[in-house]
Amino acid sequence: MSATAHSNLHRNAWTDWWEGSRRVDIWWTLAWFDIVLRYRRSLLGPIWLTLSMGVMIAGMGPLYSALFGTELSRFFPHLALGVIFWGLFSSIVPDACHTFVNSSHYLKQGYFPITLFVWRSLGRNIIQFAHQIVLYVPVALWAGISLSWHVLLFFPAFLLLLVNAHAIGLVLGLVCTRFRDITQIVTSLMQMLMFLTPVFWLPENLPGRARYVLWNPLAQMLDLLRTPLMGGMASVHDWLGILCWTVVSIVGASLLFVKYRRRVVYWL
């Protein structure tokens, strides 16, 4: 057993990443049990995720539509998808900060590829998102959204989201395990970015000089995901911005992973 652990610790970074990523049976089961344990002894279980999000959207829709002077049938889908996708963003990023800290009992007991726990965190958030995206269906039917072939662009956009989420999960997992104060900074930053991202407001309502906020990667990612589901097509500017951000996040995650992956257990 010790010989196996010794050889595992000295394998190359690619093999280490692949070993954790390919064990879908393990990290998906762990993610599912995280959800089950969170709602243990609850009558409705994860359905509370859907109900709480639905109540919030239903309450905010008419109010914000009146505040911004926008027709409800046009604003309501924009708000609903914005809140749903922001809920995914705002759960992925803080969870990434606690990825290895919350899995310390596994990492201290024996060798596990650390990517296994990054996928576990991401899988848990995907399960929560699946319970919330179903709210899009009644909203789309009520608003009379007519979908075109542009809706297929949602799938490459979601794939880009997963790639970035995994890379950011590695970066934040490593950095926040070593420097615990970074978690508080990331949490505060996400709260600020919520207001700089067109979740509750329409981008066209911005004055010309304020449009720089749309360079925010989360705003670009939101546009790639939301626009196809509203019958439109995201701008080329947003696609190029996210592709550039994806390259940066993969390179940054790779460098940190290669250098520090073996030190995680000593930081716990």
Side-chain angles (χ1 to χ4, degrees), residues 203-260:
E204 54 264 33
N205 291 340
L206 284 176
R209 287 185 297 179
R211 287 189 170 272
Y212 70 91
V213 300
L214 298 179
W215 287 76
N216 165 15
L218 290 176
Q220 294 177 330
M221 190 75 252
L222 179 59
D223 189 48
L224 295 188
L225 293 167
R226 178 168 57 189
T227 305
L229 296 179
M230 294 183 64
M233 184 169 63
S235 67
V236 176
H237 171 268
D238 289 335
W239 282 103
L240 292 177
I242 289 300
L243 287 173
C244 291
W245 178 259
T246 302
V247 172
V248 171
S249 62
I250 290 175
V251 171
S254 300
L255 293 175
L256 286 175
F257 179 67
V258 169
K259 189 170 183 179
Y260 297 111

Side-chain angles (χ1 to χ4, degrees), residues 56-81 138-145 200 202 230:
M56 182 173 67
I57 293 171
M60 293 175 64
L63 173 62
Y64 277 75
S65 175
L67 287 174
F68 293 124
T70 307
E71 185 181 354
L72 183 59
S73 61
R74 177 170 173 265
F75 181 76
F76 202 37
H78 174 90
L79 175 69
L81 289 171
V139 171
L141 292 175
W142 176 83
I145 295 177
F200 308 114
L202 296 169
M230 294 183 64

Side-chain angles (χ1 to χ4, degrees), residues 53 57 79-89 129 132-136 199:
M53 181 70 75
I57 293 171
L79 175 69
L81 289 171
V83 171
I84 291 170
F85 285 121
W86 185 259
L88 177 62
F89 299 162
F129 171 72
Q132 295 168 343
I133 192 61
V134 295
L135 294 169
Y136 163 73
V199 177

Side-chain angles (χ1 to χ4, degrees), residues 6-25:
H6 181 78
S7 63
N8 284 338
L9 286 170
H10 290 81
R11 66 176 62 184
N12 62 61
W14 165 254
T15 304
D16 198 314
W17 178 86
W18 175 246
E19 284 298 316
S21 300
R22 74 181 183 87
R23 295 308 306 267
V24 181
D25 55 330

